[in-house]
PDB file of all heavy atoms in Angstrom:
ATOM      1  N   PRO A  53      34.780  45.255 -27.746  1.00  0.00           N
ATOM      2  CA  PRO A  53      34.536  45.625 -26.345  1.00  0.00           C
ATOM      3  C   PRO A  53      33.531  46.766 -26.218  1.00  0.00           C
ATOM      4  O   PRO A  53      33.481  47.645 -27.076  1.00  0.00           O
ATOM      5  CB  PRO A  53      35.916  46.053 -25.846  1.00  0.00           C
ATOM      6  CG  PRO A  53      36.688  46.424 -27.059  1.00  0.00           C
ATOM      7  CD  PRO A  53      36.150  45.560 -28.174  1.00  0.00           C
ATOM      8  N   PHE A  54      32.748  46.706 -25.139  1.00  0.00           N
ATOM      9  CA  PHE A  54      31.739  47.739 -24.886  1.00  0.00           C
ATOM     10  C   PHE A  54      31.850  48.176 -23.428  1.00  0.00           C
ATOM     11  O   PHE A  54      32.150  47.365 -22.548  1.00  0.00           O
ATOM     12  CB  PHE A  54      30.341  47.181 -25.190  1.00  0.00           C
ATOM     13  CG  PHE A  54      29.228  48.182 -25.006  1.00  0.00           C
ATOM     14  CD1 PHE A  54      29.277  49.427 -25.624  1.00  0.00           C
ATOM     15  CD2 PHE A  54      28.125  47.883 -24.212  1.00  0.00           C
ATOM     16  CE1 PHE A  54      28.251  50.354 -25.451  1.00  0.00           C
ATOM     17  CE2 PHE A  54      27.089  48.799 -24.035  1.00  0.00           C
ATOM     18  CZ  PHE A  54      27.157  50.042 -24.663  1.00  0.00           C
ATOM     19  N   SER A  55      31.571  49.437 -23.211  1.00  0.00           N
ATOM     20  CA  SER A  55      31.703  50.024 -21.872  1.00  0.00           C
ATOM     21  C   SER A  55      30.763  49.399 -20.846  1.00  0.00           C
ATOM     22  O   SER A  55      31.059  49.396 -19.657  1.00  0.00           O
ATOM     23  CB  SER A  55      31.423  51.527 -21.950  1.00  0.00           C
ATOM     24  OG  SER A  55      30.175  51.751 -22.612  1.00  0.00           O
ATOM     25  N   ASP A  56      29.624  48.890 -21.293  1.00  0.00           N
ATOM     26  CA  ASP A  56      28.601  48.402 -20.364  1.00  0.00           C
ATOM     27  C   ASP A  56      28.127  47.007 -20.750  1.00  0.00           C
ATOM     28  O   ASP A  56      26.972  46.826 -21.151  1.00  0.00           O
ATOM     29  CB  ASP A  56      27.439  49.397 -20.322  1.00  0.00           C
ATOM     30  CG  ASP A  56      27.882  50.703 -19.708  1.00  0.00           C
ATOM     31  OD1 ASP A  56      28.504  51.519 -20.426  1.00  0.00           O
ATOM     32  OD2 ASP A  56      27.656  50.898 -18.500  1.00  0.00           O
ATOM     33  N   PRO A  57      29.027  46.029 -20.615  1.00  0.00           N
ATOM     34  CA  PRO A  57      28.708  44.674 -21.082  1.00  0.00           C
ATOM     35  C   PRO A  57      27.801  43.930 -20.105  1.00  0.00           C
ATOM     36  O   PRO A  57      28.226  43.004 -19.428  1.00  0.00           O
ATOM     37  CB  PRO A  57      30.087  44.022 -21.194  1.00  0.00           C
ATOM     38  CG  PRO A  57      30.924  44.724 -20.166  1.00  0.00           C
ATOM     39  CD  PRO A  57      30.377  46.120 -20.031  1.00  0.00           C
ATOM     40  N   SER A  58      26.522  44.319 -20.069  1.00  0.00           N
ATOM     41  CA  SER A  58      25.647  43.827 -19.008  1.00  0.00           C
ATOM     42  C   SER A  58      25.210  42.380 -19.221  1.00  0.00           C
ATOM     43  O   SER A  58      24.600  41.799 -18.341  1.00  0.00           O
ATOM     44  CB  SER A  58      24.432  44.740 -18.852  1.00  0.00           C
ATOM     45  OG  SER A  58      23.778  44.875 -20.084  1.00  0.00           O
ATOM     46  N   ASP A  60      27.533  40.096 -19.895  1.00  0.00           N
ATOM     47  CA  ASP A  60      28.749  39.327 -19.675  1.00  0.00           C
ATOM     48  C   ASP A  60      29.123  39.237 -18.206  1.00  0.00           C
ATOM     49  O   ASP A  60      28.856  40.152 -17.427  1.00  0.00           O
ATOM     50  CB  ASP A  60      29.911  39.975 -20.438  1.00  0.00           C
ATOM     51  CG  ASP A  60      29.847  39.661 -21.923  1.00  0.00           C
ATOM     52  OD1 ASP A  60      29.934  38.468 -22.262  1.00  0.00           O
ATOM     53  OD2 ASP A  60      29.695  40.594 -22.728  1.00  0.00           O
ATOM     54  N   ASN A 103      25.087  49.431 -29.298  1.00  0.00           N
ATOM     55  CA  ASN A 103      25.311  50.874 -29.410  1.00  0.00           C
ATOM     56  C   ASN A 103      26.463  51.280 -30.339  1.00  0.00           C
ATOM     57  O   ASN A 103      26.289  52.208 -31.121  1.00  0.00           O
ATOM     58  CB  ASN A 103      25.459  51.526 -28.025  1.00  0.00           C
ATOM     59  CG  ASN A 103      25.191  53.012 -28.086  1.00  0.00           C
ATOM     60  OD1 ASN A 103      24.173  53.450 -28.642  1.00  0.00           O
ATOM     61  ND2 ASN A 103      26.102  53.817 -27.585  1.00  0.00           N
ATOM     62  N   PRO A 104      27.617  50.618 -30.292  1.00  0.00           N
ATOM     63  CA  PRO A 104      28.683  51.026 -31.217  1.00  0.00           C
ATOM     64  C   PRO A 104      28.257  50.927 -32.688  1.00  0.00           C
ATOM     65  O   PRO A 104      28.642  51.770 -33.501  1.00  0.00           O
ATOM     66  CB  PRO A 104      29.817  50.047 -30.893  1.00  0.00           C
ATOM     67  CG  PRO A 104      29.589  49.700 -29.452  1.00  0.00           C
ATOM     68  CD  PRO A 104      28.088  49.634 -29.309  1.00  0.00           C
ATOM     69  N   PHE A 106      24.990  51.007 -33.748  1.00  0.00           N
ATOM     70  CA  PHE A 106      23.866  51.930 -33.929  1.00  0.00           C
ATOM     71  C   PHE A 106      24.353  53.360 -34.134  1.00  0.00           C
ATOM     72  O   PHE A 106      23.875  54.080 -35.013  1.00  0.00           O
ATOM     73  CB  PHE A 106      22.935  51.848 -32.715  1.00  0.00           C
ATOM     74  CG  PHE A 106      21.814  52.832 -32.778  1.00  0.00           C
ATOM     75  CD1 PHE A 106      20.704  52.589 -33.586  1.00  0.00           C
ATOM     76  CD2 PHE A 106      21.872  54.023 -32.076  1.00  0.00           C
ATOM     77  CE1 PHE A 106      19.678  53.511 -33.669  1.00  0.00           C
ATOM     78  CE2 PHE A 106      20.848  54.952 -32.148  1.00  0.00           C
ATOM     79  CZ  PHE A 106      19.743  54.691 -32.953  1.00  0.00           C
ATOM     80  N   ASP A 129      22.554  42.319 -27.358  1.00  0.00           N
ATOM     81  CA  ASP A 129      21.394  43.061 -26.840  1.00  0.00           C
ATOM     82  C   ASP A 129      20.462  43.505 -27.960  1.00  0.00           C
ATOM     83  O   ASP A 129      19.767  44.508 -27.831  1.00  0.00           O
ATOM     84  CB  ASP A 129      21.842  44.252 -25.974  1.00  0.00           C
ATOM     85  CG  ASP A 129      22.762  45.211 -26.713  1.00  0.00           C
ATOM     86  OD1 ASP A 129      23.235  44.858 -27.816  1.00  0.00           O
ATOM     87  OD2 ASP A 129      23.005  46.314 -26.185  1.00  0.00           O
ATOM     88  N   PRO A 131      17.622  41.606 -29.681  1.00  0.00           N
ATOM     89  CA  PRO A 131      16.761  40.443 -29.961  1.00  0.00           C
ATOM     90  C   PRO A 131      16.081  40.628 -31.318  1.00  0.00           C
ATOM     91  O   PRO A 131      16.016  41.746 -31.833  1.00  0.00           O
ATOM     92  CB  PRO A 131      15.747  40.472 -28.813  1.00  0.00           C
ATOM     93  CG  PRO A 131      15.783  41.848 -28.259  1.00  0.00           C
ATOM     94  CD  PRO A 131      17.144  42.402 -28.546  1.00  0.00           C
ATOM     95  N   GLU A 134      13.877  43.714 -32.453  1.00  0.00           N
ATOM     96  CA  GLU A 134      14.417  45.047 -32.754  1.00  0.00           C
ATOM     97  C   GLU A 134      15.476  44.988 -33.852  1.00  0.00           C
ATOM     98  O   GLU A 134      16.149  45.975 -34.114  1.00  0.00           O
ATOM     99  CB  GLU A 134      15.047  45.676 -31.496  1.00  0.00           C
ATOM    100  CG  GLU A 134      14.293  45.507 -30.198  1.00  0.00           C
ATOM    101  CD  GLU A 134      12.971  46.256 -30.141  1.00  0.00           C
ATOM    102  OE1 GLU A 134      12.577  46.860 -31.171  1.00  0.00           O
ATOM    103  OE2 GLU A 134      12.310  46.228 -29.086  1.00  0.00           O
ATOM    104  N   ALA A 154      17.518  31.232 -26.018  1.00  0.00           N
ATOM    105  CA  ALA A 154      17.833  30.949 -24.612  1.00  0.00           C
ATOM    106  C   ALA A 154      16.893  29.878 -24.084  1.00  0.00           C
ATOM    107  O   ALA A 154      15.869  29.578 -24.703  1.00  0.00           O
ATOM    108  CB  ALA A 154      17.681  32.236 -23.804  1.00  0.00           C
ATOM    109  N   THR A 156      14.812  30.206 -21.961  1.00  0.00           N
ATOM    110  CA  THR A 156      13.519  30.845 -21.699  1.00  0.00           C
ATOM    111  C   THR A 156      12.768  31.203 -22.978  1.00  0.00           C
ATOM    112  O   THR A 156      11.658  31.720 -22.908  1.00  0.00           O
ATOM    113  CB  THR A 156      13.730  32.141 -20.899  1.00  0.00           C
ATOM    114  OG1 THR A 156      14.696  32.948 -21.590  1.00  0.00           O
ATOM    115  CG2 THR A 156      14.239  31.872 -19.493  1.00  0.00           C
ATOM    116  N   THR A 157      13.382  30.966 -24.137  1.00  0.00           N
ATOM    117  CA  THR A 157      12.730  31.340 -25.393  1.00  0.00           C
ATOM    118  C   THR A 157      11.603  30.358 -25.705  1.00  0.00           C
ATOM    119  O   THR A 157      11.822  29.146 -25.721  1.00  0.00           O
ATOM    120  CB  THR A 157      13.750  31.330 -26.551  1.00  0.00           C
ATOM    121  OG1 THR A 157      14.848  32.161 -26.188  1.00  0.00           O
ATOM    122  CG2 THR A 157      13.124  31.849 -27.841  1.00  0.00           C
ATOM    123  N   ARG A 161       8.744  31.878 -30.612  1.00  0.00           N
ATOM    124  CA  ARG A 161       9.841  32.765 -31.002  1.00  0.00           C
ATOM    125  C   ARG A 161      10.877  32.019 -31.840  1.00  0.00           C
ATOM    126  O   ARG A 161      11.433  32.566 -32.787  1.00  0.00           O
ATOM    127  CB  ARG A 161      10.525  33.373 -29.769  1.00  0.00           C
ATOM    128  CG  ARG A 161       9.776  34.526 -29.180  1.00  0.00           C
ATOM    129  CD  ARG A 161      10.486  35.090 -27.953  1.00  0.00           C
ATOM    130  NE  ARG A 161      11.705  35.840 -28.250  1.00  0.00           N
ATOM    131  CZ  ARG A 161      11.716  37.099 -28.696  1.00  0.00           C
ATOM    132  NH1 ARG A 161      10.594  37.741 -28.930  1.00  0.00           N
ATOM    133  NH2 ARG A 161      12.864  37.712 -28.921  1.00  0.00           N
ATOM    134  N   THR A 183      20.370  30.195 -18.157  1.00  0.00           N
ATOM    135  CA  THR A 183      20.052  31.581 -17.860  1.00  0.00           C
ATOM    136  C   THR A 183      21.217  32.135 -17.051  1.00  0.00           C
ATOM    137  O   THR A 183      21.606  31.576 -16.034  1.00  0.00           O
ATOM    138  CB  THR A 183      18.745  31.704 -17.051  1.00  0.00           C
ATOM    139  OG1 THR A 183      18.921  31.029 -15.812  1.00  0.00           O
ATOM    140  CG2 THR A 183      17.566  31.108 -17.790  1.00  0.00           C
ATOM    141  N   GLY A 184      21.791  33.204 -17.528  1.00  0.00           N
ATOM    142  CA  GLY A 184      22.925  33.772 -16.812  1.00  0.00           C
ATOM    143  C   GLY A 184      23.787  34.599 -17.730  1.00  0.00           C
ATOM    144  O   GLY A 184      23.441  34.833 -18.889  1.00  0.00           O
TER     145      GLY A 184
ATOM    146  N   PHE J  10       7.027  51.762 -27.559  1.00  0.00           N
ATOM    147  CA  PHE J  10       7.726  52.810 -28.292  1.00  0.00           C
ATOM    148  C   PHE J  10       7.076  54.161 -28.075  1.00  0.00           C
ATOM    149  O   PHE J  10       5.845  54.277 -28.029  1.00  0.00           O
ATOM    150  CB  PHE J  10       7.787  52.486 -29.788  1.00  0.00           C
ATOM    151  CG  PHE J  10       8.873  51.501 -30.100  1.00  0.00           C
ATOM    152  CD1 PHE J  10       8.594  50.148 -30.145  1.00  0.00           C
ATOM    153  CD2 PHE J  10      10.173  51.930 -30.302  1.00  0.00           C
ATOM    154  CE1 PHE J  10       9.613  49.222 -30.393  1.00  0.00           C
ATOM    155  CE2 PHE J  10      11.191  51.019 -30.548  1.00  0.00           C
ATOM    156  CZ  PHE J  10      10.910  49.669 -30.595  1.00  0.00           C
ATOM    157  N   GLY J  16      11.577  50.394 -26.820  1.00  0.00           N
ATOM    158  CA  GLY J  16      11.931  49.055 -27.287  1.00  0.00           C
ATOM    159  C   GLY J  16      12.500  48.173 -26.192  1.00  0.00           C
ATOM    160  O   GLY J  16      12.389  48.466 -24.993  1.00  0.00           O
ATOM    161  N   ARG J  17      13.071  47.081 -26.663  1.00  0.00           N
ATOM    162  CA  ARG J  17      13.655  46.087 -25.753  1.00  0.00           C
ATOM    163  C   ARG J  17      14.997  45.644 -26.300  1.00  0.00           C
ATOM    164  O   ARG J  17      15.054  44.731 -27.120  1.00  0.00           O
ATOM    165  CB  ARG J  17      12.767  44.856 -25.715  1.00  0.00           C
ATOM    166  CG  ARG J  17      11.618  44.958 -24.792  1.00  0.00           C
ATOM    167  CD  ARG J  17      10.905  43.630 -24.831  1.00  0.00           C
ATOM    168  NE  ARG J  17       9.733  43.695 -24.010  1.00  0.00           N
ATOM    169  CZ  ARG J  17       8.798  42.761 -24.006  1.00  0.00           C
ATOM    170  NH1 ARG J  17       8.924  41.711 -24.792  1.00  0.00           N
ATOM    171  NH2 ARG J  17       7.757  42.881 -23.226  1.00  0.00           N
ATOM    172  N   TYR J  18      16.037  46.286 -25.855  1.00  0.00           N
ATOM    173  CA  TYR J  18      17.380  45.926 -26.310  1.00  0.00           C
ATOM    174  C   TYR J  18      18.079  45.189 -25.175  1.00  0.00           C
ATOM    175  O   TYR J  18      18.831  45.775 -24.406  1.00  0.00           O
ATOM    176  CB  TYR J  18      18.136  47.181 -26.748  1.00  0.00           C
ATOM    177  CG  TYR J  18      17.480  47.855 -27.942  1.00  0.00           C
ATOM    178  CD1 TYR J  18      16.442  48.768 -27.772  1.00  0.00           C
ATOM    179  CD2 TYR J  18      17.875  47.535 -29.239  1.00  0.00           C
ATOM    180  CE1 TYR J  18      15.817  49.358 -28.868  1.00  0.00           C
ATOM    181  CE2 TYR J  18      17.266  48.114 -30.332  1.00  0.00           C
ATOM    182  CZ  TYR J  18      16.232  49.026 -30.143  1.00  0.00           C
ATOM    183  OH  TYR J  18      15.625  49.591 -31.230  1.00  0.00           O
ATOM    184  N   VAL J  19      17.726  43.926 -25.035  1.00  0.00           N
ATOM    185  CA  VAL J  19      18.253  43.106 -23.936  1.00  0.00           C
ATOM    186  C   VAL J  19      18.598  41.714 -24.459  1.00  0.00           C
ATOM    187  O   VAL J  19      18.234  41.357 -25.585  1.00  0.00           O
ATOM    188  CB  VAL J  19      17.210  42.928 -22.806  1.00  0.00           C
ATOM    189  CG1 VAL J  19      16.927  44.234 -22.109  1.00  0.00           C
ATOM    190  CG2 VAL J  19      15.920  42.319 -23.349  1.00  0.00           C
ATOM    191  N   GLU J  21      18.323  37.867 -25.131  1.00  0.00           N
ATOM    192  CA  GLU J  21      17.170  37.024 -25.447  1.00  0.00           C
ATOM    193  C   GLU J  21      16.604  36.365 -24.176  1.00  0.00           C
ATOM    194  O   GLU J  21      15.385  36.224 -24.025  1.00  0.00           O
ATOM    195  CB  GLU J  21      17.607  35.953 -26.455  1.00  0.00           C
ATOM    196  CG  GLU J  21      16.568  34.891 -26.767  1.00  0.00           C
ATOM    197  CD  GLU J  21      15.325  35.434 -27.470  1.00  0.00           C
ATOM    198  OE1 GLU J  21      15.393  36.502 -28.113  1.00  0.00           O
ATOM    199  OE2 GLU J  21      14.266  34.774 -27.348  1.00  0.00           O
ATOM    200  N   THR J  22      17.481  36.002 -23.249  1.00  0.00           N
ATOM    201  CA  THR J  22      17.051  35.328 -22.022  1.00  0.00           C
ATOM    202  C   THR J  22      15.988  36.122 -21.264  1.00  0.00           C
ATOM    203  O   THR J  22      15.132  35.544 -20.596  1.00  0.00           O
ATOM    204  CB  THR J  22      18.276  35.093 -21.107  1.00  0.00           C
ATOM    205  OG1 THR J  22      19.284  34.448 -21.882  1.00  0.00           O
ATOM    206  CG2 THR J  22      17.931  34.244 -19.903  1.00  0.00           C
ATOM    207  N   LYS J 175      24.911  53.732 -13.421  1.00  0.00           N
ATOM    208  CA  LYS J 175      24.869  52.913 -14.629  1.00  0.00           C
ATOM    209  C   LYS J 175      25.497  51.547 -14.378  1.00  0.00           C
ATOM    210  O   LYS J 175      25.031  50.537 -14.892  1.00  0.00           O
ATOM    211  CB  LYS J 175      25.534  53.636 -15.799  1.00  0.00           C
ATOM    212  CG  LYS J 175      26.960  53.266 -16.097  1.00  0.00           C
ATOM    213  CD  LYS J 175      27.492  53.993 -17.327  1.00  0.00           C
ATOM    214  CE  LYS J 175      29.015  53.988 -17.350  1.00  0.00           C
ATOM    215  NZ  LYS J 175      29.624  52.711 -17.710  1.00  0.00           N
ATOM    216  N   ASN J 179      23.943  47.722 -14.643  1.00  0.00           N
ATOM    217  CA  ASN J 179      24.559  46.584 -15.337  1.00  0.00           C
ATOM    218  C   ASN J 179      24.564  45.357 -14.437  1.00  0.00           C
ATOM    219  O   ASN J 179      24.240  44.249 -14.863  1.00  0.00           O
ATOM    220  CB  ASN J 179      26.013  46.896 -15.716  1.00  0.00           C
ATOM    221  CG  ASN J 179      26.118  47.909 -16.838  1.00  0.00           C
ATOM    222  OD1 ASN J 179      25.208  48.028 -17.655  1.00  0.00           O
ATOM    223  ND2 ASN J 179      27.210  48.641 -16.866  1.00  0.00           N
ATOM    224  N   ARG J 183      22.702  41.684 -14.719  1.00  0.00           N
ATOM    225  CA  ARG J 183      23.416  40.394 -14.676  1.00  0.00           C
ATOM    226  C   ARG J 183      22.754  39.455 -13.670  1.00  0.00           C
ATOM    227  O   ARG J 183      22.621  38.254 -13.922  1.00  0.00           O
ATOM    228  CB  ARG J 183      24.883  40.615 -14.297  1.00  0.00           C
ATOM    229  CG  ARG J 183      25.667  41.313 -15.385  1.00  0.00           C
ATOM    230  CD  ARG J 183      27.136  41.510 -15.004  1.00  0.00           C
ATOM    231  NE  ARG J 183      27.792  42.238 -16.072  1.00  0.00           N
ATOM    232  CZ  ARG J 183      28.429  43.410 -15.935  1.00  0.00           C
ATOM    233  NH1 ARG J 183      28.536  43.954 -14.737  1.00  0.00           N
ATOM    234  NH2 ARG J 183      28.961  44.003 -16.974  1.00  0.00           N
ATOM    235  N   VAL J 186      19.300  38.252 -15.192  1.00  0.00           N
ATOM    236  CA  VAL J 186      19.385  37.260 -16.256  1.00  0.00           C
ATOM    237  C   VAL J 186      19.729  35.888 -15.667  1.00  0.00           C
ATOM    238  O   VAL J 186      19.352  34.844 -16.195  1.00  0.00           O
ATOM    239  CB  VAL J 186      20.382  37.723 -17.357  1.00  0.00           C
ATOM    240  CG1 VAL J 186      21.810  37.428 -16.981  1.00  0.00           C
ATOM    241  CG2 VAL J 186      20.046  37.121 -18.696  1.00  0.00           C
ATOM    242  N   THR J 187      20.415  35.897 -14.521  1.00  0.00           N
ATOM    243  CA  THR J 187      20.811  34.641 -13.881  1.00  0.00           C
ATOM    244  C   THR J 187      19.670  34.027 -13.065  1.00  0.00           C
ATOM    245  O   THR J 187      19.518  32.820 -13.001  1.00  0.00           O
ATOM    246  CB  THR J 187      22.031  34.901 -12.958  1.00  0.00           C
ATOM    247  OG1 THR J 187      23.030  35.575 -13.724  1.00  0.00           O
ATOM    248  CG2 THR J 187      22.602  33.610 -12.411  1.00  0.00           C
ATOM    249  N   GLY J 285      20.987  56.785 -28.750  1.00  0.00           N
ATOM    250  CA  GLY J 285      21.751  55.554 -28.644  1.00  0.00           C
ATOM    251  C   GLY J 285      20.949  54.501 -27.902  1.00  0.00           C
ATOM    252  O   GLY J 285      19.753  54.680 -27.638  1.00  0.00           O
ATOM    253  N   VAL J 286      21.614  53.413 -27.564  1.00  0.00           N
ATOM    254  CA  VAL J 286      20.942  52.299 -26.890  1.00  0.00           C
ATOM    255  C   VAL J 286      21.719  51.949 -25.625  1.00  0.00           C
ATOM    256  O   VAL J 286      22.916  51.667 -25.688  1.00  0.00           O
ATOM    257  CB  VAL J 286      20.864  51.070 -27.820  1.00  0.00           C
ATOM    258  CG1 VAL J 286      20.337  49.856 -27.058  1.00  0.00           C
ATOM    259  CG2 VAL J 286      19.979  51.372 -29.021  1.00  0.00           C
ATOM    260  N   GLY J 299      32.518  56.368 -30.930  1.00  0.00           N
ATOM    261  CA  GLY J 299      32.613  54.928 -31.093  1.00  0.00           C
ATOM    262  C   GLY J 299      31.470  54.172 -30.430  1.00  0.00           C
ATOM    263  O   GLY J 299      31.444  52.950 -30.426  1.00  0.00           O
ATOM    264  N   GLY J 300      30.523  54.923 -29.829  1.00  0.00           N
ATOM    265  CA  GLY J 300      29.375  54.277 -29.205  1.00  0.00           C
ATOM    266  C   GLY J 300      29.641  53.789 -27.791  1.00  0.00           C
ATOM    267  O   GLY J 300      28.810  53.091 -27.204  1.00  0.00           O
ATOM    268  N   GLN J 301      30.796  54.140 -27.234  1.00  0.00           N
ATOM    269  CA  GLN J 301      31.075  53.747 -25.841  1.00  0.00           C
ATOM    270  C   GLN J 301      30.413  54.753 -24.908  1.00  0.00           C
ATOM    271  O   GLN J 301      30.534  55.963 -25.096  1.00  0.00           O
ATOM    272  CB  GLN J 301      32.591  53.714 -25.588  1.00  0.00           C
ATOM    273  CG  GLN J 301      33.360  52.822 -26.557  1.00  0.00           C
ATOM    274  CD  GLN J 301      33.014  51.343 -26.438  1.00  0.00           C
ATOM    275  OE1 GLN J 301      32.544  50.885 -25.389  1.00  0.00           O
ATOM    276  NE2 GLN J 301      33.226  50.593 -27.513  1.00  0.00           N
ATOM    277  N   ILE J 302      29.704  54.220 -23.909  1.00  0.00           N
ATOM    278  CA  ILE J 302      28.985  55.081 -22.972  1.00  0.00           C
ATOM    279  C   ILE J 302      29.991  55.855 -22.123  1.00  0.00           C
ATOM    280  O   ILE J 302      30.989  55.298 -21.655  1.00  0.00           O
ATOM    281  CB  ILE J 302      28.052  54.237 -22.066  1.00  0.00           C
ATOM    282  CG1 ILE J 302      27.098  53.385 -22.923  1.00  0.00           C
ATOM    283  CG2 ILE J 302      27.278  55.123 -21.106  1.00  0.00           C
ATOM    284  CD1 ILE J 302      26.204  54.138 -23.881  1.00  0.00           C
TER     285      ILE J 302
END
Side-chain angles (χ1 to χ4, degrees):
Chain A
F54 182 52
S55 52
D56 293 80
S58 55
D60 283 298
N103 201 50
F106 176 78
D129 57 349
E134 318 292 5
T156 53
T157 306
R161 281 180 72 79
T183 62
Chain J
F10 280 93
R17 277 183 183 169
Y18 297 86
V19 293
E21 173 65 23
T22 308
K175 98 177 161 75
N179 289 333
R183 291 181 183 122
V186 82
T187 308
V286 172
Q301 305 295 336
I302 305 302

